[in-house]
């Protein structure tokens, strides 16, 4: 700040201080005058109303009310209260009829005051005492000066039966009154805020005059100091500009007194020297700038090249990590990342005393879908499975993000159609089971792959750490074992690992090894179950059923090795062998002169594809068997899996002359509109309906409906699984005349079948059963 500015500020401060002091003094003096006037007037008015004593004595409220109005004339009086000599409230009046606020205690207002003296005390709304000055009025405007004055009576108020004339005489002759008596008290509440407001007419003009004097003094001070210091200010500005690097082209004009003129001359000399120095510096700076720009350009190019190289290295590193730790097909963590992170999670779970669950998923019948629709469709299916599994993930990313504070679900693909889900910090095995069922529900929904609607189901094995294993290999082996057991009990299922499964796993491994050797050792054999026409007792066909003659375990039933061979991918080779062996045996029967109209061969869903059609044609050509003697039994799921492709494949088979049969009819989801389009020759009634016909009218009615439908579609009909006379009588009486089951014969070897092929071989048995029916009529539902 300049000297002139400091002088102006000092003058302004002094002037403002004097103005404030004058205004404050005037306000305080006027406030005290207003307060004293109100108090003196109130005391004088109370003394000048002699009629109050008579009005109080006679309780003349109307006259008292008018008397109290006179005390409310000053604007600073808030309310007036009249008490009797005992301090009881007789009458109270507020300004302009306003209600009187809560009154302070009478004893508080008269404390330290004799009964005959007037008293005043300043109280706030809470009854606390305070100051009565102007500062108190401005800081707490709710304070009131409570004036209490005794009202004297010339007559003793305790004397009864006094008249107004007695009071009038006493007032007229005051000298005759020996003593005065207190007949009541008058309380007048004066507002400090109203008193302060009453000073405004005097304080405001005083303040305005003070403000005018401040402004006038400031103006005069500014004008005088500016005139004196103008040349010095100009030189100070020039000095500031020189200090900041701004040199003037012109010199400073020399004005003012001798000292000022001398300073201006020196300053002009400094400006001339600096101008010459600045010219040289500008030239040097320009040359330096050119060098800096050149070097900056070179560094910028080098920096861009370095950033590009760093970016390429980072991208390459990310690609290598993606290739090393993530599956290229589904973008899920691969086996390597899975094992690394599972090892970390197991160690953390052990340290924190927590549980961890591993879910091992394997898709059921994925190989059949992959072979039927092609590898590109299989890849799309695996991507969709990965997306659905990831869609079940909650509050988690991939396993590479390590461990969060809360529970996690992480999905990985180990290879092929095997997936894993890691549940970190699970509270119980039931929680893992709930997640597994959620995954089952998500994957069971149909998928559309290249225009084909596909349903794929998983088998899930669940292993818990540390209960089942504490290391990666042990936990993965336990979950894998549980998964294979889930697949063996019916697929589309989930099972928890138990130690009992280990022995079964060993048996399974041994069984897999024995299956591989069974082909080499030719341990598979065919047994044939005859299909008997009950009208003539003749075998009209046989069903070829594969059996495994194990050298140590004996005859292994199909339900133990057929599902396992499907998982191992051997079902195609087994199916080809069954087809070839059945056709060869038919030719052998022909060579022996045995009459057998046809042999039925079951076709697995995993076999039925374009390669199978070519295989059938090749076998028929190699064995020279008439195509009409070969019947292929297909399940409903096979023919309904892809209707358009199935119709074409069945048409190709029919063109060869092969017979086609629907096996286990009624247990699937056949659409009658599709069945009418398929070139079928035969329907087989599933044994589950046959054995339950006498336990449920619905099953019996369904069998009758299937028989009627086969007739209407001109299809042959075979009832399989017939074991009792009742089942036989029910079926034959309702029109099913071709029977297959243990009632006539169990599946037998080719040698044992030969005598059964004689004409009318079963006629005697049929006639015997017909006699039983005549003695005890069977059941027929129509």
């Amino acid at each position: 700040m300049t000297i002139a500015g400091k002088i102006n500020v000092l003058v302004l401060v002094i002037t403002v201080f004097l103005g404030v002091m004058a205004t404050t003094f005037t306000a305080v003096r006027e406030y005290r005058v207003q307060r004293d006037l109100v108090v003196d007037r109130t005391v004088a008015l109370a003394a000048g109303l002699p009629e109050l004593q008579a009005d109080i004595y006679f309780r003349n409220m109307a006259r008292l009310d008018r008397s109290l109005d006179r005390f409310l004339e000053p604007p600073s009086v808030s309310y007036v209260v009249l008490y009797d000599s005992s301090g009881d409230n007789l009458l109270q009046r507020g300004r302009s009829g306003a209600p009187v606020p809560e009154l302070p205690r009478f004893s508080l207002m008269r404390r330290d005051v004799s009964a005959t003296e007037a008293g005043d005390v300043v109280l706030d709304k809470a009854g606390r005492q305070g100051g009565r000055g102007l500062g108190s009025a401005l800081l707490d405007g709710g304070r009131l000066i409570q004036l209490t004055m005794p009202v004297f009576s010339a007559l003793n108020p305790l004397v009864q039966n006094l008249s107004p004339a007695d009071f009038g005489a006493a007032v007229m002759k005051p000298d005759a009154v020996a003593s005065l008596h207190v007949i009541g008290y008058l309380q007048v509440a004066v507002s400090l805020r109203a008193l302060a407001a009453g000073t405004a007419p005097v304080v405001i003009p005083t303040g305005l005059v003070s403000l005018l004097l401040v402004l006038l003094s400031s103006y005069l001070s500014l004008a005088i100091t500016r005139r004196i210091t103008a040349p010095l200010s100009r030189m100070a500005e020039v000095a500031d500009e020189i200090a900041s690097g701004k040199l003037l082209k012109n010199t400073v004009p020399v004005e003012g007194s001798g000292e000022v003129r001398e300073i201006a001359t020196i300053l002009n000399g400094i400006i001339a020297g600096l101008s010459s120095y600045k010219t040289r510096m500008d030239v040097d700076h320009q040359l330096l700038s050119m060098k800096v720009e050149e070097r900056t350009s070179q560094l910028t190019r080098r920096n861009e090249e370095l950033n590009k190289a760093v970016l390429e290295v980072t991208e390459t590193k990310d690609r290598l990590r993606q290739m090393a730790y993530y599956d290229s097909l589904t973008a899920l963590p691969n086996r390597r990342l899975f094992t690394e992170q599972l090892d970390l999670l197991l160690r953390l779970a052990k340290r924190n005393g927590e549980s961890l669950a591993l879910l091992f998923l394997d898709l059921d019948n994925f190989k059949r879908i992959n072979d039927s629709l092609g590898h590109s469709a299989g890849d799309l299916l695996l991507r969709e499975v990965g997306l659905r599994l990831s869609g079940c993930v909650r509050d988690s990313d991939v396993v590479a993000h390590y461990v969060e504070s809360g529970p996690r679900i992480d999905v990985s693909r180990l290879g092929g159609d095997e997936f894993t889900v890691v549940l970190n910090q699970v509270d119980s095995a039931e929680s893992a089971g709930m997640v597994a069922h959620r995954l089952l529900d998500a994957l069971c929904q149909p998928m559309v792959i290249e225009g084909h609607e596909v349903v794929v189901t998983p088998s899930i094995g669940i292993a818990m750490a540390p209960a089942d294993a504490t290391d990666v290999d042990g936990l993965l082996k336990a979950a894998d074992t549980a998964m294979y057991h889930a697949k063996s009990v019916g697929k589309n299922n989930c099972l928890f690992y138990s130690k009992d499964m280990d022995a079964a796993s060993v048996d399974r491994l041994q069984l897999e090894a024995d299956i591989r050797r069974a082909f080499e050792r030719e341990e598979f054999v065919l047994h044939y179950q005859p299909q008997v026409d009950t009208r003539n007792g003749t075998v009209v066909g046989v069903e070829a059923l594969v059996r495994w003659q194990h050298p140590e375990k004996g005859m292994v039933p199909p339900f133990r090795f057929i599902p396992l061979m499907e998982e191992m991918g051997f079902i195609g080779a087994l199916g080809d062998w069954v087809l070839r062996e059945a056709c060869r045996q038919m030719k052998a029967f022909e060579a022996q002169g045995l009459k057998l109209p046809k042999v039925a061969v079951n076709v697995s869903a995993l076999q039925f594809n374009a390669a199978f059609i070519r295989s059938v044609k090749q076998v028929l050509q190699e064995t020279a068997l008439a195509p009409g003697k070969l019947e292929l039994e297909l399940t409903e799921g096979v023919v309904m899996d892809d209707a358009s492709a199935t119709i074409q494949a069945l048409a190709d088979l029919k063109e060869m002359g092969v017979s086609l049969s629907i096996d286990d009819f009624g247990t699937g989801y056949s659409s009658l509109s599709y069945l009418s389009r398929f070139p079928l020759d035969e329907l087989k009634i599933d044994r589950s309906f046959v054995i339950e016909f006498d336990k449920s009218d619905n099953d019996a009615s369904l069998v009758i409906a299937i028989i009627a439908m086969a007739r209407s579609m001109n299809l042959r009909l075979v009832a399989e699984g017939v074991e009792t006379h009742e089942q036989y009588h029910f079926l034959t009486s309702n029109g099913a005349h071709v029977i297959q089951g243990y009632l006539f014969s169990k599946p037998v070897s080719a040698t044992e079948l030969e005598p059964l092929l004689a004409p009318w071989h079963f006629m005697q048995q049929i006639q015997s059963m017909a006699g039983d029916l005549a003695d005890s009529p069977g059941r027929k539902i129509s």
Side-chain angles (χ1 to χ4, degrees), residues 96-358:
S96 302
V100 177
E102 182 179 355
L103 298 175
R105 296 193 313 275
F106 183 77
S107 59
L108 178 64
M109 296 184 292
R110 298 293 299 170
R111 185 171 58 186
D112 301 332
V113 180
S114 65
T116 59
E117 292 180 347
D120 65 335
V121 62
V122 178
L123 300 175
D124 59 12
K125 294 180 180 179
R128 295 187 296 267
Q129 293 189 14
R132 63 185 66 201
L134 179 59
S136 299
L138 296 176
L139 294 176
D140 187 1
R143 293 181 179 178
L144 300 174
I145 301 177
Q146 301 289 353
L147 297 175
T148 54
M149 298 162 288
V151 179
F152 295 101
S153 172
L155 301 177
N156 188 354
L158 300 178
V159 177
Q160 299 181 356
N161 298 325
L162 295 176
S163 64
D166 297 332
F167 281 95
V171 171
M172 295 299 295
K173 299 177 180 181
D175 297 336
V177 178
S179 63
L180 296 176
H181 303 274
V182 176
I183 195 173
Y185 291 93
L186 188 66
Q187 175 191 352
V188 179
V190 180
S191 172
L192 295 183
R193 177 178 292 175
L195 288 174
T199 63
V202 176
V203 173
I204 291 176
T206 303
L208 293 176
V209 171
S210 299
L211 178 61
L212 183 60
L213 290 176
V214 168
L215 295 176
L216 181 60
S217 299
S218 300
Y219 175 74
L220 293 176
S221 174
L222 181 63
I224 293 172
T225 55
R226 180 172 294 178
R227 183 176 181 83
I228 295 173
T229 61
L232 294 175
S233 299
R234 174 58 183 160
M235 286 187 287
E237 292 175 359
V238 172
D240 290 339
E241 291 180 355
I242 293 174
S244 62
K246 299 179 181 178
L247 295 180
L248 301 178
K249 295 181 179 179
N250 300 322
T251 58
V252 179
V254 179
E255 298 177 354
S257 61
E259 292 83 358
V260 174
R261 185 183 299 274
E262 184 178 352
I263 293 173
T265 302
I266 295 173
L267 187 60
N268 287 332
I270 293 174
I271 292 173
L274 289 177
S275 298
S276 176
Y277 177 75
K278 184 176 183 299
T279 301
R280 294 195 303 271
M281 288 296 295
D282 288 343
V283 174
D284 295 340
H285 178 72
Q286 187 174 3
L287 294 175
L288 180 61
S289 297
M290 293 173 63
K291 288 290 185 181
V292 170
E293 289 178 359
E294 181 181 359
R295 296 298 297 171
T296 301
S297 177
Q298 294 175 355
L299 290 175
T300 301
R301 288 196 302 270
R302 297 293 185 273
N303 189 45
E304 290 176 354
E305 294 173 357
L306 180 61
N307 290 337
K308 184 177 180 181
V310 170
L311 181 60
E312 291 177 353
V313 170
T314 303
E315 292 177 349
T316 303
K317 180 181 177 181
D318 292 341
R319 284 196 302 269
L320 291 176
R321 176 177 176 79
Q322 183 73 22
M323 294 170 61
Y325 286 103
Y326 290 91
D327 177 50
S328 60
L329 181 63
T330 62
L332 294 174
N334 60 13
R335 180 181 290 270
R336 179 179 181 182
L337 181 57
F338 163 76
T339 53
E340 289 182 4
Q341 297 305 311
L342 182 58
D343 180 66
L344 172 63
L345 292 175
L346 286 172
R347 285 189 276 113
L348 290 175
K350 181 179 180 180
R351 184 184 67 184
N352 299 329
E354 298 170 342
S355 296
L356 180 147
L358 174 63

Side-chain angles (χ1 to χ4, degrees), residues 367 519 565-566 569-577 604 606-607 612:
K367 185 177 185 303
F519 284 102
M565 294 186 73
E566 289 181 346
F570 289 166
I571 195 65
L574 180 63
D576 290 343
W577 179 86
S604 169
L606 299 178
Q607 283 181 269
F612 174 74

Side-chain angles (χ1 to χ4, degrees), residues 657-695:
V658 176
S659 297
L660 301 174
S661 173
I662 294 293
D663 192 17
D664 300 335
F665 183 75
T667 61
Y669 44 86
S670 298
S671 168
L672 296 182
S673 62
Y674 277 126
L675 286 177
S676 63
R677 295 163 54 191
F678 295 146
L680 303 175
D681 299 288
E682 181 180 277
L683 292 182
K684 294 190 72 174
I685 303 175
D686 185 67
R687 67 184 302 271
S688 61
F689 298 119
V690 174
I691 63 177
E692 296 290 338
F693 86 95
D694 57 347
K695 299 178 183 178

